[in-house]
Amino acid sequence: MPKNYMIGNWKMNQSLTEIETFFKNVKLEDNQNNFWIAPQTLHYSKCAELAGPTGVLVGTQNISDQEQGAFTGEISADSLMEMGGHFCLIGHSERRSLYGETDEFINRKVAKAIEKGLVPVLCVGETLAEREANNTLSVVLGQLKSGLKDISLNNEAELIIAYEPVWAIGTGKTASPEQAEEVHAAIRVLLEELYGETGKDISLLYGGSVKPSNVKELLGQTNINGGLVGGASLKAEDFSALCSAC
Ligand code: 13P
């Protein structure tokens, strides 16, 4: 069975005071190391310190494909491991659309993360125009095939996939549970083709306007194993509610 996760992507949000309030108020039931937060990298250490007693694990929103050296502004996978990091988001649609990240680049980051022992949360998803042109599955499966090119796995815990339809991110428009499940089921088939038995157990998260009021229906779908959440992960009460639904 795939493990369920609830991951908060804080994007470029949260002041230090807000972070302190968050960790003071977050309440997690039945924590199985599956409640994760990706703050701004600048806040990584502070979050890791405050998250310790709560059991929340901390990671980053991005990672470099390079080993080390003259790469101004990049985040080194070795350094994140040294700091006790657990995971990194890779290929978020904002990275793809605003910063021009290509599938090839994303593939190198996935390889680097796995090589270093970080869990990559590989994000994929179609735009509204792609959905309306009936290209959802070809776009999403294409992003996955390229992002996972030549990536081998020892076990299912080494990789997480997040399906985030671009039109549902930060818009308040969630994909219906059926729309999400259709894509998740197709991703599952591809993962089984690529990784055999292991592919059956890789966790598939849904992202895009997930909130406490819609999370249960989404998680009720066969191939939805948790959420990758932006806005609703910023407040301790909402994140706690999302985690207990998980
Ligand atoms: P929202 O939950 O704010 O729609 O953001 C989703 C997202 O992009 C998480 O990575």
Side-chain angles (χ1 to χ4, degrees), residues 126-139 167:
E126 82 288 2
T127 63
L128 186 58
E130 288 163 343
R131 174 163 283 266
E132 286 175 349
N134 275 328
N135 288 332
T136 299
L137 292 183
S138 64
V139 168
W167 49 271

Side-chain angles (χ1 to χ4, degrees), residues 9 11 92 94 164 168-171 207-210 228-232:
N9 172 11
K11 308 191 181 184
H92 190 279
E94 287 147 21
E164 300 200 296
I169 295 179
T171 58
S209 299
V210 176
L228 177 58
V229 187

